[in-house]
Amino acid sequence: MSISSISSSIPIYSELHLRQFPPYSRIYLSRPQPLSFRSKQFSQISRPIKVTARGAMETTAEKVSGGVPNNTMKLLFVEMGVGYDQHGQDVTSAAMKACKNAISSNSIPAFRRGSIPGVSFGEMKLQIKLGVPHSLHQQLDLDKVKSIFPYGEIVNVEVVDGGLICSSGVLVEEMGDKNEDCYIVNVAVYVGY
């Protein structure tokens, strides 16, 4: 047997291993794109946008200015929460729990300490947007909901179609249940000055 016939029957493993790289390895082998390419590609993401749902839960249109529901304040941050009333069918209780949930894990020392030049604690403004099942809008007591916020001027409260009515799975008359309904309310609290 000649050497040439032996060498042709030996598999070339190095070529086989190169061909078996997983598909994601191409990330490491590709050339990085110039920064100018990437910045053009993602420049649209930083603009404020408004997404409006169409269909059964459609809400009234509102103008978005800088990401704030209305432009009566400079937005600092948004707190979001959800509240449930599993027994008693009280939408106000669910809304109050949603607001407590939104504000309960935040501390706002910037207003108290004067970290924002020219802005003190007294200038804090709040805009509240509640997502409540449409059929329950009239049962909502907004004065009770507003009482949850310990400070800040509430400049606007907006109630839109949202939230959920679902079954709690059990009717407990001792807890005031009239039926098995559970009410769920969502909230966004816009905080600014």
Side-chain angles (χ1 to χ4, degrees), residues 136-151:
L136 303 175
H137 284 208
Q138 297 303 317
Q139 297 176 26
L140 190 61
D141 184 342
L142 290 179
D143 290 330
K144 285 185 178 180
V145 174
K146 289 179 188 179
S147 72
I148 294 301
F149 300 93
Y151 44 80

Side-chain angles (χ1 to χ4, degrees), residues 86 104 108 157:
Q86 295 179 347
S104 65
I108 311 170
V157 177

